[in-house]
Amino acid sequence: MSEPDPNLLRGRFDQPTSGDMQRYSTSLAIDLRMLDEDIDGSVAHATMLGEVGILDPGEAERLCAGLEEVRGELASGAWVPGDEHEDVHMAVEARLIELLGDLGKKLHTARSRNDQVATDVRLWLKRRLGELDAALAELVNTLLDRVESDGKTLLPGYTHLQRGQPILLGHHLLAHAWPLVRDRERLVDATRRLDRSPLGACAMAGTPHPIDRASTAEAMGFAGVADNAMDAVAARDHEQEVAAACAICMTHLSRMAEELVLWSSSEFAFVRLGEDYATGSSIMPQKRNPDAAELVRGKSSRVCGDLMALLHLVKALPLAYNRDLQEDREPLFDAVETTLASVGIMAGMWRTLELSRERFEKALEGDFSLATELADLLVERGVAFREAHEVVGRIVRWCEDQGSDLGALTPEAAKRFHPRFPDDLGPWLDPRAAAERRTSLGGTAWVEVERQVRVLRQGMG
Ligand code: ARG
């Protein structure tokens, strides 16, 4: 069998490209991750060429069988292409020609690598985004499981990382779940827009051959075809959109990760990470480090960088295809794969960590997180909120001056600040009662937490 012909594209040249140029320009290594998509596209194309009579039915069948053979060889490593192939498309075609001889040379009729690569990437995205969607649904469900098992635990809700008001842990966990639901929506929406086959756009002008683009689109599982051949090969906004959705999702995971880092510190000790997600130190034997969470936080920066790379890659390119576009896959695949892996790690951490109800609730002792409750009490008794805010502010100051907290506030003392305070402050100085009174839509009361869990469970299917 002859060596793969590195000169398939070099009819007009006397010399082969230099070794340096071959190594510099090949995208084979990363392209091989979309080998299946490339073969699937070629099989759809060959089948269609047979259907419309550009090829004999027998020729189309033999091309498809040959393509499957190349898929098997490449997947198993039985054939290892070298840098002389510019990309996966050229490698597959060269090997096909080796296997089938002249028949292999007919496959590229009415097609260009420009529409091929655009097709492969869209197919790859459709498949991976399906996996990402399922992983996100699982993470949301894991959080909802936690809400159901531990959601009644009280903790301070924070603003500025200062204790604010007592809330239920379920309320806090749901505040992490909702953004993930929107991440799913963003990805579904991006998938809907990219679900158009570019195949048959050829270089950018279409073809005089009687191809059937709708048939290849359907065979590959696309919802339709990209209407304009030039746009079909030049557009990368769907890649930017997916990377943006991934970057946004990673910022959500990163915020969650940051809280797990804080919460697992000895200072907070709200959670203890499962051993399977905690790491040790090479020198300090006692360490139980939150590396998984830190890596999610760190990797989120990379995915934001991936988005920047894709935006900048495209912004000044003239229409239509330019080789710059080959640089899209590293950031794009990285964005999707890193997000997919991070979602999985996050779900694992939430599944296996232990929550310390005691530590959460202890954080409510000896502070002023019931101050808003006292102000709301005065409001219920007819005092204007601004006035109530000021009165309670003075009470806080008074407590601080004598080194105590709101727990030490007697009704008599309170009445000295405002006559409308009631004789019994007990129900108003109870953090659980304060949380449970917040029944407004979206509030922290358990009825609202339960309602949201029901809504979210339905959407998680
Ligand atoms: N390897 C190229 C890429 O990834 C495929 C398209 C090449 N097209 C071209 N006209 N040189 O973008």
Side-chain angles (χ1 to χ4, degrees):
M1 192 147 300
S2 63
E3 280 300 300
D5 178 1
N7 291 320
L8 276 181
L9 313 177
R10 298 193 64 79
R12 59 151 299 158
F13 298 99
D14 290 329
Q15 305 284 330
T17 42
S18 74
D20 272 357
M21 174 55 187
Q22 288 178 4
R23 278 185 295 281
Y24 186 69
S25 75
T26 184
S27 56
L28 192 57
I30 188 138
D31 281 3
L32 282 172
R33 276 146 75 188
M34 49 181 201
L35 171 67
D36 277 328
E37 288 73 21
D38 194 68
I39 301 278
D40 292 348
S42 288
V43 166
H45 183 67
T47 308
M48 179 277 294
L49 292 178
E51 279 166 8
V52 299
I54 295 174
L55 295 180
D56 294 338
E59 288 181 318
E61 255 173 51
R62 276 186 290 132
L63 278 179
C64 291
L67 285 163
E68 291 304 344
E69 202 173 329
V70 178
R71 188 201 308 261
E73 282 184 353
L74 276 166
S76 69
W79 181 57
V80 181
D83 287 343
E84 68 276 16
H85 302 284
E86 266 187 26
D87 47 39
V88 68
H89 328 294
M90 292 318 304
V92 168
E93 192 180 343
R95 184 63 182 153
L96 192 71
I97 293 170
E98 277 194 328
L99 292 174
L100 302 184
D102 282 347
L103 173 60
K105 296 182 179 169
K106 293 189 175 181
L107 175 67
H108 211 55
T109 314
R111 178 178 90 164
S112 149
R113 279 182 299 159
N114 298 352
D115 56 341
Q116 239 188 308
V117 72
T119 304
D120 292 2
V121 172
R122 287 189 196 224
L123 261 187
W124 187 93
L125 280 174
K126 278 186 62 171
R127 292 172 183 176
R128 295 297 95 72
L129 295 184
E131 293 168 32
L132 183 51
D133 184 61
L136 278 167
E138 192 179 329
L139 174 55
V140 172
N141 273 324
T142 306
L143 287 171
L144 296 181
D145 291 343
R146 280 289 177 175
V147 173
E148 281 167 347
S149 59
D150 303 282
K152 288 188 173 158
T153 299
L154 282 169
L155 77 156
Y158 293 82
T159 61
H160 314 271
L161 204 54
Q162 310 274 326
R163 293 169 188 174
Q165 294 177 341
I167 56 167
L168 299 185
L169 180 59
H171 186 61
H172 192 115
L173 296 182
L174 284 169
H176 281 306
W178 280 106
L180 301 172
V181 173
R182 294 193 293 277
D183 289 331
R184 287 186 75 195
E185 287 171 5
R186 261 184 284 276
L187 288 163
V188 166
D189 204 41
T191 306
R192 186 175 57 76
R193 250 186 298 284
L194 67 82
D195 199 4
R196 296 267 174 270
S197 167
L199 194 62
C202 303
M204 98 294 274
T207 174
H209 304 298
I211 58 169
D212 183 350
R213 290 189 58 201
S215 138
T216 49
E218 196 187 329
M220 291 182 288
F222 280 105
V225 296
D227 279 296
N228 179 291
M230 201 170 215
D231 175 46
V233 294
R236 296 293 184 273
D237 54 290
H238 52 285
E239 299 182 6
Q240 296 166 334
E241 198 177 357
V242 167
C246 288
I248 293 170
C249 176
M250 286 301 291
T251 65
H252 296 145
L253 300 184
S254 182
R255 295 183 83 171
M256 219 180 334
E258 167 65 11
E259 286 193 347
L260 288 181
V261 172
L262 278 176
W263 287 9
S264 61
S265 68
S266 308
E267 284 71 14
F268 277 82
F270 286 176
V271 303
R272 190 172 156 84
L273 294 176
E275 290 204 356
D276 31 1
Y277 287 90
T279 44
S281 154
S282 62
I283 176 170
M284 296 166 282
Q286 83 283 11
K287 291 307 274 301
R288 188 186 180 97
N289 287 333
D291 287 28
E294 290 167 320
L295 281 167
V296 169
R297 198 174 55 186
K299 284 173 195 282
S300 70
S301 317
R302 230 188 44 230
V303 176
C304 291
D306 292 333
L307 169 61
M308 285 307 120
L310 285 164
L311 291 171
H312 284 262
L313 178 66
V314 181
K315 75 171 171 54
L317 289 185
L319 295 181
Y321 178 84
N322 300 269
R323 190 70 183 276
D324 315 44
L325 292 175
Q326 180 173 296
E327 292 298 314
D328 65 353
R329 255 138 290 152
E330 286 193 35
L332 180 67
F333 290 2
D334 182 63
V336 174
E337 286 173 353
T338 304
T339 307
L340 182 57
S342 304
V343 170
I345 288 289
M346 220 11 129
M349 267 190 289
W350 275 111
R351 245 192 323 271
T352 54
L353 57 74
E354 280 169 39
L355 295 162
S356 168
R357 190 186 179 121
E358 212 192 341
R359 291 287 308 188
F360 274 117
E361 297 190 352
K362 211 167 169 51
L364 286 162
E365 286 173 13
D367 76 345
F368 293 94
S369 58
L370 287 166
T372 316
E373 183 68 348
L374 287 184
D376 282 333
L377 158 61
L378 286 180
V379 168
E380 270 180 34
R381 301 183 142 231
V383 181
F385 182 77
R386 270 290 153 255
E387 189 190 342
H389 184 285
E390 145 99 46
V391 167
V392 178
R394 279 192 278 114
I395 291 178
V396 168
R397 173 86 178 270
W398 174 78
C399 290
E400 273 179 352
D401 285 348
Q402 47 177 16
S404 67
D405 56 60
L406 288 178
L409 184 70
T410 60
E412 297 68 42
K415 279 182 210 260
R416 283 203 298 277
F417 288 89
H418 203 291
R420 298 254 174 104
F421 275 115
D423 293 336
D424 182 10
L425 282 177
W428 304 92
L429 290 175
D430 171 12
R432 183 163 301 280
E436 287 298 359
R437 259 194 291 272
R438 282 160 173 73
T439 53
S440 57
L441 201 146
T444 186
W446 182 246
V447 278
E448 268 302 299
V449 170
E450 274 185 316
R451 180 189 65 79
Q452 293 172 56
V453 170
R454 277 196 304 278
V455 172
L456 287 177
R457 283 276 194 219
Q458 261 169 23
M460 287 312 108

